[in-house]
Amino acid sequence: MLVAISPNLWFLGQIDLGQAFSFPGGTRAFTGITMLVHMFFAQLFVGFAIASPVLQAWGARTGSPRMDRLAHSMTRFNVLTFSTGATFAVLFMVLLVGFYPRVTGSLFTHFFLLIVVAMASMGLALWGMYSYYYKWDKYAMLHKRRHIALGFTMGFFIWIWMVIMTGIDTYMTTGGGPGVPALSAGNVQNFTVAVQGVFNPMFTEMVLHRTFANLSWPAFAVATWAAFMYMRAKRPEDKSFYDWSTSVGLTWGVGFLLLQPFVGFATAYAMKTAAPADPQGQALSGGSYERLTSGDTASMLKINLILVVGLFVLSNVAMYMGAIRHPDRGGRVPIRIFGLVAAVAGLYSISPIADFPFLYMRYIAMLVMALATLGAFVTYLRGRLRFRYGSPGTWYRVVLLSIGVLAAVTALNMGFMKSNSRVPFTVYNQPDYKVESQQISDYEGGAFGGSR
């Protein structure tokens, strides 16, 4: 057998795997897709980890067993899918080290102490998650407060991890801002220098943006999951629970979606103010913001605007259809009016004539869309107190499934768009970390990029 295997091993040793590797878009696209798959699960993980103990605490306060069941389902999803997300995270790190060793090594040395804190936070979050889940039957009844505290431990420490990763990500997008030391290589920077890099001009706005996003799109995912599970449910009590869960997911999703345009504009403005005073070339004088709003990335920005408008319009449609659960169908007329206003304003904001009669008309239309959606949202919330769950319409479930898909695409597109805004740099305005096709180590990578 050894004689038979040896020629095969010799043959494999002659293959140049570097030349054999082929992927549409090259190594950059392969690395980016790997990161996006990881971020798909990571965003759900963060959102569910924060929301689960909140739902359980709310259920304990109101005496609702449905809250406890939904919180348990969300935590169970995190436990079952964590290994999948972690596998793609490890693969992503292997690709970074292999394809982009220079920028990866520099980031890890410059922010080493903060990365240690982030990894410790991840470990504590996992301890909280597994303790929270596997002690559910024992603690949820006898030690309710202690059990909820374990859940909040999970949510708090995963949020700390997200905050630190966001700081490193925004450092790469802005170059750190004025007065911040450039990225160092070969030595571990002290804690003060690492913190200076994290607290860059875009940091606060992006943390808010990601926090709200990681609560909004996972909430839409809950509504989508519940709409699907309703079709499989046999017992009336299960159908009632899943119908109720669609309403909870829709409510949370729309509530945090309403905040996104405002923190999104704040993030873009912060990116604009972070433009370097000494740009490496006149074409880069506008900073990452200039790259974001011009060229190919500008097309992605328009696509993202269309996706966001679609989310607002479909959310209004879902609230209108869901309001049929009210015994008197109360609130459907106001929701329909608000929804029509939101739809007209949103469609106008993405139309070719959105700059008529003056430049800022597009933004005014988006503000009208958000305010009209807020009116529909408040009306829907007031009606929910009297909803009767158990028999949602087919088109209502179809709309929820569409919202879930659209929300996921929007979240991932935002991450791709933002990471691309720093090109031709891997760390903006630092020429030692620049896109160079001749040197794979300098190729633009998606380190710490991911979602919005």
Side-chain angles (χ1 to χ4, degrees):
M1 182 177 291
L2 181 61
V3 174
I5 292 175
S6 297
N8 295 329
L9 293 176
W10 178 87
F11 175 75
L12 290 174
Q14 308 312 305
I15 299 176
D16 186 350
L17 294 179
Q19 296 297 326
F21 180 83
S22 177
F23 189 85
T27 55
R28 181 183 171 194
F30 185 69
T31 306
I33 290 173
T34 301
M35 182 56 170
L36 290 179
V37 174
H38 162 67
M39 290 307 300
F40 175 84
F41 291 100
Q43 291 165 1
L44 291 173
F45 185 93
V46 173
F48 291 167
I50 295 174
S52 294
V54 174
L55 283 171
Q56 190 186 20
W58 189 1
R61 183 180 181 86
T62 60
S64 171
R66 287 173 173 171
M67 291 285 185
D68 202 76
R69 180 178 176 181
L70 181 56
H72 183 269
S73 297
M74 294 163 68
T75 307
R76 184 171 185 269
F77 176 89
N78 276 356
V79 170
L80 294 177
T81 61
F82 173 76
S83 59
T84 303
T87 298
F88 279 93
V90 172
L91 175 59
F92 174 68
M93 294 308 303
V94 169
L95 294 177
L96 284 184
V97 173
F99 291 149
Y100 318 107
R102 185 176 183 181
V103 67
T104 305
S106 298
L107 285 170
F108 270 80
T109 53
H110 192 88
F111 294 102
F112 178 76
L113 296 177
L114 279 177
I115 291 174
V116 170
V117 174
M119 293 301 101
S121 296
M122 173 62 76
L124 290 170
L126 293 180
W127 171 81
M129 179 186 73
Y130 287 114
S131 299
Y132 183 58
Y133 180 72
Y134 287 108
K135 293 184 178 181
W136 198 290
D137 293 336
K138 179 180 178 181
Y139 277 24
M141 297 299 295
L142 301 177
H143 307 285
K144 194 76 169 182
R145 291 184 179 179
R146 187 185 304 178
H147 188 243
I148 293 173
L150 284 173
F152 278 110
T153 299
M154 167 184 65
F156 174 75
F157 283 110
I158 200 63
W159 183 79
I160 294 296
W161 172 83
M162 184 203 76
V163 167
I164 295 174
M165 293 296 105
T166 298
I168 299 174
D169 179 22
T170 52
Y171 176 87
M172 294 178 68
T173 305
T174 63
V180 175
L183 194 64
S184 59
N187 62 298
V188 175
Q189 285 290 354
N190 62 56
F191 192 75
T192 301
V193 171
V195 169
Q196 282 181 326
V198 164
F199 283 93
N200 59 80
M202 220 178 135
F203 172 70
T204 302
E205 291 82 359
M206 185 57 73
V207 167
L208 290 174
H209 187 57
R210 280 186 170 168
T211 300
F212 296 151
N214 288 339
L215 289 170
S216 179
W217 115 246
F220 284 130
V222 167
T224 302
W225 162 80
F228 176 77
M229 292 300 294
Y230 176 88
M231 294 185 289
R232 301 181 60 187
K234 304 298 182 182
R235 300 183 304 169
E237 55 268 30
D238 289 336
K239 287 182 175 292
S240 179
F241 167 73
Y242 290 124
D243 187 21
W244 171 84
S245 297
T246 64
S247 181
V248 172
L250 179 63
T251 301
W252 281 49
V254 174
F256 287 104
L257 176 66
L258 286 168
L259 299 172
Q260 288 297 76
F262 302 100
V263 293
F265 280 118
T267 302
Y269 183 76
M271 185 185 289
K272 186 175 183 179
T273 59
D278 53 344
Q280 302 292 327
Q282 289 301 314
L284 306 172
S285 58
S288 298
Y289 177 82
E290 190 71 24
R291 167 69 177 173
L292 180 67
T293 55
S294 61
D296 294 337
T297 312
S299 300
M300 289 189 287
L301 190 61
K302 293 177 182 177
I303 293 172
N304 213 68
L305 178 60
I306 294 172
L307 294 174
V308 170
V309 170
L311 279 177
F312 271 90
V313 173
L314 288 179
S315 295
N316 279 277
V317 173
M319 288 188 290
Y320 172 72
M321 291 181 170
I324 198 173
R325 299 186 189 94
H326 196 285
D328 303 324
R329 300 194 176 186
R332 293 198 86 202
V333 173
I335 292 175
R336 180 171 56 194
I337 295 173
F338 284 127
L340 286 173
V341 172
V344 172
L347 293 175
Y348 178 82
S349 70
I350 60 176
S351 69
I353 61 171
D355 294 332
F356 177 83
F358 49 85
L359 180 62
Y360 296 105
M361 194 64 193
R362 183 189 308 273
Y363 305 107
I364 293 174
M366 292 190 69
L367 178 61
V368 171
M369 177 186 69
L371 292 176
T373 303
L374 176 62
F377 177 68
V378 172
T379 306
Y380 181 81
L381 274 181
R382 294 177 62 184
R384 278 193 74 239
L385 299 175
R386 297 184 59 193
F387 280 1
R388 296 174 180 172
Y389 298 102
S391 56
T394 301
W395 280 108
Y396 169 74
R397 300 196 302 272
V398 170
V399 170
L400 289 181
L401 292 171
S402 302
I403 290 177
V405 173
L406 195 61
V409 172
T410 304
L412 297 178
N413 183 64
M414 282 188 176
F416 179 72
M417 178 178 66
K418 176 193 58 57
S419 293
N420 207 49
S421 68
R422 62 177 178 262
V423 176
F425 297 99
T426 52
V427 180
Y428 196 82
N429 204 43
Q430 296 191 24
D432 290 337
Y433 305 97
K434 196 173 182 180
V435 177
E436 296 289 349
S437 58
Q438 294 84 1
Q439 299 179 19
I440 199 169
S441 63
D442 290 341
Y443 222 172
E444 200 281 334
F448 303 99
S451 174
R452 38 202 186 81

